[in-house]
Amino acid sequence: MSNSSYADNDDRRQQVNKPQSQQWLNSGKSFCARHSTIEDVVSTHNHSNDFIQTRNQYIVERLKLVCLFFAISVPASSFLDFLVFDSTQAKLLLVNRLLVSGVLIGLYQLIRRSHTVNMTRLVLTLSFLLPVLSYTATELLLTQTMAYRDIPLSFTLTPYLIIAMLGLFPLTVSGGVALLSVISLPLAMLEYIQYSGNYTAVIDKLWLFVLFGGICLWLQSGQMVMLMKLYRESTVDSLTGLINRRVLMRQVTGIAKNSNAAQGSFSVMMFDLDYFKRVNDTYGHMVGDKVLVKVSSLLKQELRNYDVIARFGGEEFLVVMPHLELAQATQVALRVAEAIRKSSVMTDEQQEISFTTSIGVTQYIADESIVQLFKRVDDLLYQAKVQGRDRVENSFALR
């Protein structure tokens, strides 16, 4: 299909609402490129789905280690209870520790079998909430037979040590605050039940909770910043701000899986810039870089927020367009080709450089492999070049 049949639908992309089934798909254009680090650390609202999955896997691995470590160390440390408590109290604590250990082992098995984002959130919350509940119940029992001041410090510091352990996980500030709030509920109930009019002791405990909680949030934020930095360096093209090929493959695999499950479809557009090597050879690689940055900027403007855009290699780009059939995707390709044709960059000598692109467009066929899909769209791109460049070729399957 020649680009001369271009249809004017510049405003269509603004009229397409994001489908509910695609809300998990954040833009493939860049990772939080338009947002500050502070926003990224505060919440996951601007995080790409791929980063959310990467962070989730990181949390899962640490969570498994924490559950396994404490499932072993909690009952193993019961010998100290027999040194500081009398026999009856030490046995009570032993039973308590064994129950906590059993629960942690169960949570470990659960996160091994299923590590979706929601499951990770559930297991993470329970891994810290249940020990706090256990501590609360045990202290209530202990204070029935002994004064609070006689309870060893090593035991009364338990909830603060649990809070400190939260610093091992790269959570957002909102996520960390939410988890701390959940943990604080049984502790607040314990203080309410045990309150005897000594508000100074309550203020001391509250201060310790805020202090340990603040340190925990600071450690979590630091880990989040580090993880985001490493993620960006390994997944985002530094020149264009688009995702790289490795992330693209993960995202398109997920889109294909969802498409098969929902009996839907999506389209793929692959293109590269015509005679780009000539631009580099004539004007230098710095001008070539300007062209690539200009094209990536145009793609971000012309495509929807949840279309996945990647730099596929050199001057090649690939776009995945969820919920678009071939006819619609072809119109998008024509619009992109026209936008690129009308654009230009300036050299340092104020010489205007214009450029065009050849594009292949195809629609995903249910249950086909990603390799087959990419092979077909690559062949269509080759046909566009053979047919004279600066054009769009589309097809479900090559003849």
Side-chain angles (χ1 to χ4, degrees):
M1 178 181 292
S2 170
N3 52 47
S4 60
S5 61
Y6 171 77
D8 184 11
N9 60 350
D10 287 343
D11 295 328
R12 177 180 297 180
R13 65 186 181 280
Q14 304 296 338
Q15 300 168 357
V16 182
N17 293 324
K18 188 174 182 178
Q20 290 293 323
S21 61
Q22 282 297 322
Q23 286 184 353
W24 64 276
L25 253 182
N26 205 312
S27 172
K29 301 171 185 178
S30 61
F31 174 73
C32 305
R34 295 171 293 177
H35 304 283
S36 67
T37 301
I38 293 177
E39 289 176 303
D40 296 338
V41 171
V42 169
S43 74
T44 61
H45 179 71
N46 297 318
H47 293 179
S48 68
N49 177 69
D50 190 73
F51 176 72
I52 290 173
Q53 296 298 330
T54 300
R55 184 178 69 112
N56 180 66
Q57 188 59 42
Y58 183 86
I59 292 174
V60 164
E61 294 304 318
R62 290 204 164 189
L63 189 53
K64 287 193 292 186
L65 288 174
V66 167
C67 287
L68 198 57
F69 174 76
F70 284 104
I72 297 171
S73 63
V74 166
S77 61
S78 61
F79 76 93
L80 294 174
D81 297 333
F82 286 91
L83 297 178
V84 297
F85 294 102
D86 62 41
S87 177
T88 302
Q89 293 167 336
K91 289 178 181 178
L92 174 65
L93 287 172
L94 176 60
V95 172
N96 179 278
R97 289 177 183 275
L98 290 174
L99 286 174
V100 171
S101 177
V103 170
L104 289 173
I105 291 174
L107 292 175
Y108 171 79
Q109 294 295 334
L110 188 61
I111 199 65
R112 277 189 61 193
R113 296 176 182 175
S114 174
H115 39 76
T116 62
V117 173
N118 288 334
M119 179 60 70
T120 301
R121 289 171 179 165
L122 175 63
V123 173
L124 181 62
T125 302
L126 292 177
S127 297
F128 287 88
L129 177 61
L130 293 178
V132 172
L133 288 171
S134 174
Y135 164 83
T136 302
T138 303
E139 184 171 308
L140 285 173
L141 291 173
L142 287 175
T143 52
Q144 292 179 4
T145 58
M146 61 191 302
Y148 177 80
R149 63 178 178 274
D150 295 329
I151 299 177
L153 186 63
S154 59
F155 180 81
T156 57
L157 283 178
T158 298
Y160 307 109
L161 296 177
I162 292 173
I163 292 171
M165 292 297 296
L166 281 172
L168 292 173
F169 300 94
L171 305 181
T172 59
V173 173
S174 59
V177 169
L179 193 50
L180 286 171
S181 299
V182 172
I183 291 174
S184 71
L185 292 177
L187 297 175
M189 288 297 297
L190 178 63
E191 289 303 315
Y192 176 77
I193 294 171
Q194 292 183 330
Y195 184 66
S196 60
N198 185 1
Y199 65 88
T200 304
V202 175
I203 292 175
D204 286 343
K205 292 180 181 179
L206 179 60
W207 166 245
L208 279 174
F209 185 89
V210 172
L211 179 63
F212 277 84
I215 293 173
C216 166
L217 293 174
W218 178 72
L219 291 173
Q220 290 171 350
S221 299
Q223 288 200 70
M224 178 66 82
V225 171
M226 178 192 69
L227 193 61
M228 286 190 295
K229 182 176 183 295
L230 293 174
Y231 177 84
R232 286 189 176 104
E233 290 177 352
S234 63
T235 62
V236 177
D237 177 60
S238 60
L239 177 65
T240 62
L242 303 179
I243 61 173
N244 61 23
R245 187 168 182 163
R246 181 165 62 89
V247 181
L248 168 70
M249 296 304 294
R250 288 204 299 262
Q251 293 208 16
V252 74
T253 299
I255 294 172
K257 182 178 178 180
N258 283 0
S259 179
N260 289 329
Q263 296 183 341
S265 190
F266 62 92
S267 295
V268 174
M269 172 173 66
M270 179 183 285
F271 65 95
D272 70 4
L273 300 175
D274 297 329
Y275 305 110
F276 183 73
K277 185 177 183 299
R278 185 181 300 173
V279 174
N280 279 333
D281 293 342
T282 304
Y283 303 102
H285 288 277
M286 296 299 291
V287 174
D289 287 349
K290 284 185 179 181
V291 172
L292 293 174
V293 170
K294 180 67 175 181
V295 170
S296 65
S297 177
L298 288 172
L299 290 175
K300 295 171 188 178
Q301 294 172 16
E302 294 295 326
L303 298 171
R304 300 171 299 178
N305 286 336
Y306 57 94
D307 289 332
V308 179
I309 314 172
R311 186 178 177 186
F312 203 62
E315 69 273 21
E316 284 190 338
F317 297 84
L318 191 140
V319 179
V320 182
M321 297 169 283
H323 298 300
L324 282 191
E325 295 184 352
L326 184 61
Q328 297 169 299
T330 301
Q331 291 301 311
V332 173
L334 290 167
R335 187 178 69 232
V336 169
E338 180 72 5
I340 291 175
R341 189 180 304 114
K342 292 179 178 179
S343 66
S344 62
V345 298
M346 300 295 293
T347 67
D348 292 339
E349 293 76 23
Q350 298 304 304
Q351 183 177 356
E352 185 177 18
I353 309 297
S354 58
F355 38 88
T356 60
T357 184
S358 301
I359 304 178
V361 187
T362 191
Q363 181 176 326
Y364 175 72
I365 300 173
D367 296 321
E368 74 172 329
S369 69
I370 302 303
V371 173
Q372 290 174 315
L373 175 65
F374 281 9
K375 173 67 165 57
R376 185 166 66 253
V377 75
D378 187 51
D379 289 343
L380 287 165
L381 170 60
Y382 177 75
Q383 283 191 6
K385 292 180 179 180
V386 171
Q387 296 289 338
R389 303 178 189 265
D390 188 20
R391 59 187 294 119
V392 174
E393 289 291 332
N394 68 348
S395 177
F396 269 107
L398 295 176
R399 300 177 183 82

